[in-house]
Amino acid sequence: MDGGELTRLILTVLVALWAVTALAVCAGRAFWTLLRVTARAAVVALGPYDAGRSDQRVIPVDAEPALPSYWARQLWTDTAGVLGAGLRTPWRTWRDHWMKRVALRLLQRRRPSTGRRGANPLTRLWLWLMAPGTALGATLAVLLVAVLHGAALLVFGVLVTLVWTGWLLAVGLLRGTERAWLALRRVRPVCPHPGCHRPVPLAVHRCPQCTTETHRELRPGRYGVFRHACRCGARLPSSLFTGRALVAAECPSCDRPLPPSLATTRVVHVPLIGASSSGKTMLMAAVVTGLRSWAANGRLTLDYASDADRHDSALLDRRLRDDDWALKTQGDQRAWMLLVGRGARRRLLYLYDPMGEALQGADRLREQQYLAHADGVLFVVDVLADRAVRQRIADGDATVAAGARPAAQGPTETFDGLSGELTALVGRRGRLPVAVVVTKRDVLDRIASLPPAGAQVDTWLTTLGLGGLVRNLTHQFATARYWSVSAFTATGTGALDPEGRRAAEPVLWLLARSGLRVGALVDARTGGAGVRGR
């Protein structure tokens, strides 16, 4: 055997030894060790390995008192941790343990476990010969683990993406369904409080448990799909379909409480327009009295939207029982909210009673933001305030007319001052209906020098010299209908139910135009031929 053959034989033996060593190290220890360490690192990356240990990756609570949903942000933090740990750990273990410790110590003729040199030259030679095979086996093992764990991480990433996509679709579907439901029911929440009247796309909700935290994003989203978790531990419904309307709500603009039905019921805004002392507040009391009378007969359902409305109604009733007169509206306006229903349908009726002075002057009129949300107008006419009508009253009837406390401004002047600014505020005035109500009919019936008010109220107004007002109302609004009402007879001590129901007819007519089936309750004789429109 020559030198070349001996060299090849030695190389063959060494290669075989290294291959066997590599297979033994890979299959016997390195592969399983690397796989176990990598899997453990991926699991630990999902959260603190020890119970109660802090986790710096957890996203802290922001200004919203609700805890962020795991699926919104923390999911991706944990996923990034799993992927990072799964990709880094096997190579780091291969480098630090198998290469820098085991293989290097073998190459230095040291035992891998203790670092001590071999006891004799033969042992040290054997350790040196095992170094290449061990390094090769560890490298093969880390490659196999990287491929296997990479495939597992790929599947994990796909599953996480599918779960997150499902969460995102659930948020979008629930939000979209809620918006579609509100749009179909024409629910457009608006703050009812004087001085605000801003739209409320999403109310501020106060936690019912701690009552100190206010949630401004209580809807399906990054804080939860069906529920939000408050800092205090309470769970709040995040959608109308899961009970959000039952959580106490506040206006996001003025921070005042909102009625629970505001978020689920279509609102019908009806401002009462008339001069000061024209009888608006008395008429409002008569309308509520008439609605209560209809409700008592089971023809419709009626409830107050809030305890404050119930309290204000009780105070007004007590005032009317005491001296038969309602106090003049104080402040910019009084707003009542009533839940009126028939069958399965309900409407949240906003009755605005502004001060007569608030409608005088363009600057003050522009401040009446509630007019921008009007679904109809109830125009209150005090004919005794008109100069031409007063000139027709005989001296013998002057005392009776003065006892009715005529308004300081005539109805024509009130409408002329309103007409110039109403288009800018409402923007859709041509499609609005107007219910024209002549008040103080009990006094008018006792004035012999004036013609009696008949069923054709618009014709009667023309006879009195208010034909220009009738024509302007017909021109300015889509539909106009006329009533004459005695609010004095409909309210207070000895109130008459028929007169109260008659006083409620203008509001019922406006509600009927919003889709509430109360048109049958409106007496066809009142203004049947007095309906004017384009």
Side-chain angles (χ1 to χ4, degrees):
M1 179 180 297
D2 55 14
E5 292 178 350
L6 181 60
T7 301
R8 284 194 295 271
L9 178 60
I10 294 174
L11 290 176
T12 302
V13 171
L14 289 176
V15 169
L17 177 62
W18 292 340
V20 172
T21 303
L23 291 176
V25 169
C26 176
R29 185 179 181 88
F31 175 79
W32 305 107
T33 300
L34 290 171
L35 187 62
R36 175 178 57 81
V37 171
T38 304
R40 183 179 181 277
V43 172
V44 172
L46 286 173
Y49 188 71
D50 298 327
R53 183 173 154 194
S54 62
D55 187 359
Q56 299 298 325
R57 299 172 304 103
V58 175
I59 301 172
V61 178
D62 51 19
E64 183 73 8
L67 301 177
S69 171
Y70 175 81
W71 308 106
R73 293 187 293 183
Q74 192 64 41
L75 171 67
W76 295 112
T77 302
D78 289 344
T79 301
V82 170
L83 294 177
L87 295 175
R88 291 192 304 267
T89 300
W91 294 104
R92 186 169 55 217
T93 305
W94 169 79
R95 181 195 63 199
D96 296 341
H97 178 73
W98 290 100
M99 294 292 104
K100 291 185 178 180
R101 181 178 178 181
V102 176
L104 183 60
R105 284 183 177 181
L106 289 174
L107 195 61
Q108 294 174 347
R109 301 177 179 86
R110 299 175 182 271
R111 295 184 181 276
S113 57
T114 62
R116 296 178 180 177
R117 293 179 62 83
N120 52 69
L122 185 60
T123 302
R124 288 195 292 271
L125 177 62
W126 175 251
L127 293 175
W128 181 81
L129 291 175
M130 293 291 292
T134 301
L136 181 61
T139 303
L140 180 61
V142 75
L143 291 175
L144 292 175
V145 168
V147 172
L148 181 62
H149 201 67
L153 292 178
L154 179 62
V155 174
F156 175 76
V158 171
L159 292 177
V160 167
T161 303
L162 291 176
V163 170
W164 181 82
T165 303
W167 171 84
L168 189 63
L169 290 176
V171 170
L173 180 62
L174 200 55
R175 278 197 189 184
T177 303
E178 183 176 298
R179 290 181 181 177
W181 184 79
L182 293 175
L184 289 175
R185 297 172 67 92
R186 296 186 180 180
V187 177
R188 301 187 303 272
V190 175
C191 178
H193 296 290
C196 186
H197 299 297
R198 292 182 175 85
V200 185
L202 183 63
V204 177
H205 294 83
R206 190 169 293 276
C207 176
Q209 180 169 301
C210 63
T211 68
T212 58
E213 300 290 357
T214 54
H215 297 254
R216 295 183 175 272
E217 294 189 35
L218 192 57
R219 59 181 174 180
R222 55 178 177 167
Y223 298 102
V225 179
F226 302 104
R227 303 273 177 181
H228 285 193
C230 184
R231 292 174 183 172
C232 67
R235 299 184 67 81
L236 284 70
S238 62
S239 170
L240 292 175
F241 304 122
T242 57
R244 186 180 66 202
L246 302 178
V247 183
E250 298 175 356
C251 174
S253 300
C254 65
D255 297 328
R256 285 178 281 186
L258 300 174
S261 54
L262 181 70
T264 58
T265 308
R266 180 178 173 181
V267 182
V268 178
H269 302 263
V270 179
L272 278 72
I273 304 299
S276 179
S277 299
S278 61
K280 298 191 306 299
T281 304
M282 287 285 290
L283 178 60
M284 178 182 283
V287 168
V288 176
T289 300
L291 292 175
R292 284 202 299 250
S293 177
W294 282 116
N297 287 347
R299 304 297 297 275
L300 52 80
T301 60
L302 180 69
D303 194 9
Y304 294 97
S306 66
D307 293 336
D309 295 293
R310 184 176 289 103
H311 179 263
D312 290 344
S313 179
L315 287 179
L316 184 57
D317 287 345
R318 189 179 306 117
R319 171 74 181 178
L320 292 172
R321 285 195 301 268
D322 290 343
D323 60 6
D324 293 331
W325 284 98
L327 289 173
K328 179 182 177 181
T329 302
Q330 302 297 321
D332 284 339
Q333 84 259 359
R334 175 191 286 128
W336 280 7
M337 296 172 285
L338 303 170
L339 279 168
V340 183
R342 183 170 173 83
R345 299 186 181 184
R346 292 198 312 169
R347 296 291 184 268
L348 181 57
L349 174 64
Y350 278 15
L351 284 175
Y352 298 100
D353 178 17
M355 292 177 58
E357 294 83 356
L359 302 176
Q360 297 177 6
D363 293 338
R364 296 204 65 181
L365 190 58
R366 293 190 188 102
E367 297 175 359
Q368 312 307 310
Q369 294 299 319
Y370 57 88
L371 291 174
H373 309 289
D375 295 284
V377 174
L378 203 158
F379 189 73
V380 182
V381 176
D382 181 6
V383 297
L384 297 176
D386 184 76
R387 184 178 307 172
V389 174
R390 288 199 304 269
Q391 291 175 354
R392 300 182 56 169
I393 297 176
D395 293 340
D397 297 325
T399 303
V400 177
R405 305 178 186 179
Q409 187 181 52
T412 301
E413 290 79 7
T414 300
F415 180 79
D416 290 342
L418 177 71
S419 177
E421 298 294 332
L422 196 57
T423 300
L425 286 172
V426 178
R428 50 188 175 91
R429 180 180 52 178
R431 294 188 284 127
L432 286 181
V434 57
V436 184
V437 180
V438 177
T439 56
K440 308 177 182 179
R441 200 193 71 234
D442 55 305
V443 177
L444 294 172
D445 290 343
R446 289 155 46 201
I447 300 177
S449 53
L450 294 180
Q456 306 296 327
V457 179
D458 54 338
T459 303
W460 176 73
L461 288 173
T462 303
T463 303
L464 290 179
L466 295 172
L469 175 63
V470 173
R471 288 189 296 272
N472 286 336
L473 288 168
T474 302
H475 174 71
Q476 299 288 358
F477 292 89
T479 307
R481 191 163 183 175
Y482 297 80
W483 283 263
S484 62
V485 171
S486 172
F488 183 85
T489 309
T491 59
T493 304
L496 301 177
D497 274 353
E499 192 62 28
R501 295 177 190 176
R502 182 183 181 87
E505 286 179 2
V507 171
L508 290 175
W509 178 68
L510 293 173
L511 288 173
R513 293 183 64 85
S514 73
L516 191 65
R517 296 174 182 174
V518 293
L521 304 182
V522 180
D523 188 353
R525 295 174 301 168
T526 58
V531 178
R532 301 196 177 201
R534 290 177 290 165

